[in-house]
Amino acid sequence: MEQYIIRGGNPLVGEVEISGAKNAALGILAAAIMTDDTVLIENLPDVRDINVLLEAMESIGVKVERLTRHAVLMNSEHVGEVSVEYEYIKKIRASYYLIGALLGKYKKAEVPLPGGCNIGSRPIDLHLKGFKALGAKVSIRNGFIIAEAENLHGSHIFLDTVSVGATINIMMAASMAEGYTIIENCAREPHVVDVANFLNSMGANIKGAGTDVIRIRGVQKLHKTEYSIIPDQIEAGTFMFAAAATKGDVMVKNVIPKHLEATTAKLLEIGCEVEEFDNAVRVVASKRLHSTNVKTLPYPGYPTDMQPQIGVTLALAEGTSIVTESIFENRFKYMDELARMGAVVRVEGNTAIITGVDKLSGARVSAPDLRAGAALVIAALAAEGVTTIDDIIYIQRGYECFEEKLRSLGAEIEKVNSEKEAQKFRLRIC
Ligand code: UD1
């Protein structure tokens, strides 16, 4: 089982290049199935979730040709199956995007019901409500969601909760429905816009992505395209907080600063300097940071995927901070791990009360999920001494070359696969 061993204490300094957005890529890859033409997708992040989705797509007949580490050609002309295996959906929830894509194109999809997830229960009732409104019959049999329709037709859909997944999934299916669809109370995340732009580049007619009302005029056919995925705002934000927590100075390159506004605002509030460029942001933390309050909200609010990263940073900031998680109910599991590193934290329901300490100290901890895992890496980089992080498979789901990028900024971090390798690294650094 792979682990990270980290010796903390070095301020991160230098430049780091951000990869393509995982969450945009998941939607875009699924949407690529909706044309028989060959599609070129660039700036694809080389992370586990993406590679698993590509495998799932190959398993139903999509031809995937990797041109480079970050570019693929996909052809879905010979998709013979509309049924995806549980093995894939178990590994990556977002393969539920294949329901919207397959239903739109083939008017039929069979995808296993995604199970629970370690950040909370994650229902997909709104996705299904949308498909039904478009005229699909949706049933659940033997653990599969089966969605089928003679014909999909446009509809007026109101989402009860702002949901990224439901917005993207319904938008995909509606792109190839007959007539006009209006989706209200949509998610406005940059990756919703990116998937809409991708579909439009294939000939879809989607307007309003990025606002809370999306209007879609269905088309019969989608065609080939060449598309480059937007930069990952969560990866970027993670490096911004790593700079802050280690009192570093990092230029985070290949980003869209507008997508980072909520993160930037919080960094400024706690005492960092943040300089914005056309496609980069520089974060400098030259003095001790101070406390703040933060509540996670749908975009453009503060992202839930950035909650653990600010949480660990506030554990070292002067004063008491309150972090409120309003999207997922189980996203504070990392707090127990952080407490093992000396943080003073108390979790009450969806609120964490964090009293900043002068120092964290290295400990053995485990990553409870993707973003919390990355946050524990930040804590370890800022802590005194050596930290071992277990279960880093979660982190590998969404961060490309995480340890290499951190090392290039001066971090002492090693991925090890055995106790022998761990000992060797410990001897080298101690
Ligand atoms: C996406 C992101 C995830 C991020 C989340 C919130 C991807 C692949 N994942 O997840 O990283 O943390 O957005 O920004 O893009 N809900 C319902 N019914 C539904 C769907 C959602 O009640 O049918 C609720 C959820 O329980 C949650 C809220 O809506 O409380 C938002 O979830 P949603 O935006 O759908 O998250 P995901 O798309 O799963």
Side-chain angles (χ1 to χ4, degrees):
M1 198 183 60
E2 289 184 326
Q3 298 171 314
Y4 280 145
I5 315 251
I6 297 165
R7 188 173 71 172
N10 298 351
L12 295 191
V13 177
E15 295 183 353
V16 65
E17 194 84 25
I18 296 306
S19 302
K22 168 184 82 78
N23 286 349
L26 290 168
I28 287 171
L29 291 180
I33 217 167
M34 298 177 72
T35 174
D36 287 340
D37 294 347
T38 298
V39 164
L40 169 67
I41 299 170
E42 295 177 304
N43 204 30
L44 197 63
D46 184 9
V47 295
R48 196 167 151 263
D49 272 13
I50 296 303
N51 296 326
V52 173
L53 181 60
L54 284 171
E55 272 174 44
M57 295 182 71
E58 281 182 302
S59 78
I60 56 169
V62 179
K63 268 189 71 190
V64 176
E65 188 188 337
R66 269 201 186 268
L67 297 179
T68 66
R69 187 171 185 185
H70 299 124
V72 286
L73 281 177
M74 296 177 73
N75 184 287
S76 305
E77 199 182 349
H78 299 296
V79 166
E81 276 276 349
V82 289
S83 177
V84 182
E85 279 176 37
Y86 181 62
E87 186 197 331
Y88 300 109
I89 204 109
K90 194 174 66 182
K91 287 194 196 144
I92 153 200
R93 268 184 62 85
S95 35
Y96 58 42
Y97 284 141
L98 290 171
I99 314 176
L102 288 167
L103 182 65
K105 171 88 192 297
Y106 297 98
K107 314 299 175 234
K108 177 154 187 190
E110 288 183 19
V111 177
L113 197 57
C117 162
N118 34 15
I119 60 172
S121 83
R122 294 173 78 173
I124 59 159
D125 54 310
L126 296 173
H127 305 228
L128 305 188
K129 172 178 156 177
F131 299 144
K132 284 180 194 160
L134 295 173
K137 278 206 196 98
V138 181
S139 56
I140 295 174
R141 255 181 280 150
N142 306 327
F144 276 70
I145 298 163
I146 301 170
E148 51 194 325
E150 286 283 305
N151 264 316
L152 293 177
H153 54 73
S155 183
H156 194 147
I157 300 162
F158 188 91
L159 298 178
D160 308 284
T161 305
V162 177
S163 159
V164 173
T167 304
I168 291 178
N169 230 342
I170 298 167
M171 186 169 79
M172 289 196 288
S175 295
M176 293 190 83
E178 266 173 30
Y180 197 54
T181 296
I182 300 176
I183 316 174
E184 301 214 42
N185 199 27
C186 293
R188 290 177 280 170
E189 267 70 0
H191 40 294
V192 173
V193 180
D194 211 32
V195 178
N197 287 342
F198 172 72
L199 284 162
N200 282 342
S201 78
M202 292 199 296
N205 185 348
I206 302 170
K207 297 208 165 82
T211 75
D212 59 2
V213 183
I214 296 181
R215 295 181 163 81
I216 303 160
R217 168 92 47 208
V219 296
Q220 280 188 349
K221 212 166 169 241
L222 296 173
H223 56 67
K224 68 177 180 186
T225 186
E226 295 182 358
Y227 196 83
S228 181
I229 292 166
I230 53 166
D232 196 309
Q233 94 246 32
I234 306 299
E235 186 197 7
T238 302
F239 280 98
M240 291 164 81
F241 274 106
T246 61
K247 298 208 179 70
D249 177 348
V250 176
M251 180 75 89
V252 183
K253 294 170 80 177
N254 183 33
V255 298
I256 299 173
K258 170 93 187 129
H259 295 169
L260 297 166
E261 276 174 353
T263 298
T264 299
K266 282 295 159 195
L267 285 165
L268 290 170
E269 229 173 274
I270 62 177
C272 294
E273 292 158 50
V274 184
E275 218 178 326
E276 280 187 12
F277 301 87
D278 283 349
N279 53 8
V281 287
R282 178 178 172 202
V283 178
V284 185
S286 45
K287 50 186 188 299
R288 185 161 184 216
L289 303 176
H290 47 82
S291 58
T292 190
N293 298 335
V294 59
K295 181 177 183 181
T296 62
L297 287 168
Y299 189 85
Y302 188 87
T304 173
D305 284 354
M306 287 297 302
Q307 183 263 101
Q309 298 88 323
I310 194 170
V312 299
T313 307
L314 293 174
L316 283 162
E318 196 169 4
T320 297
S321 302
I322 298 179
V323 178
T324 306
E325 172 56 60
S326 77
I327 313 285
F328 294 113
E329 72 274 14
N330 207 1
R331 267 205 131 156
F332 283 136
K333 278 197 281 187
Y334 72 95
M335 287 291 180
D336 289 339
E337 305 299 302
L338 202 54
R340 305 183 67 240
M341 298 177 73
V344 177
V345 291
R346 198 173 79 242
V347 176
E348 287 175 11
N350 71 341
T351 300
I353 299 135
I354 305 171
T355 303
V357 292
D358 286 340
K359 285 186 175 103
L360 294 174
S361 56
R364 183 159 181 170
V365 295
S366 57
D369 60 66
L370 165 60
R371 304 304 172 186
L376 288 173
V377 171
I378 297 177
L381 293 169
E384 275 189 350
V386 177
T387 296
T388 301
I389 305 185
D390 292 324
D391 295 335
I392 62 168
I393 191 161
Y394 287 118
I395 303 172
Q396 292 160 348
R397 281 185 41 208
Y399 289 89
E400 179 177 318
C401 298
F402 199 32
E403 60 277 11
E404 285 91 339
K405 289 185 185 185
L406 287 167
R407 266 202 298 270
S408 77
L409 298 171
E412 290 181 87
I413 174 169
E414 189 76 19
K415 185 168 68 185
V416 297
N417 209 353
S418 65
E419 190 44 39
K420 202 166 150 208
E421 277 179 33
Q423 283 296 359
K424 217 164 114 191
F425 180 65
R426 282 195 198 97
L427 280 175
R428 203 167 83 219
I429 56 175
C430 292

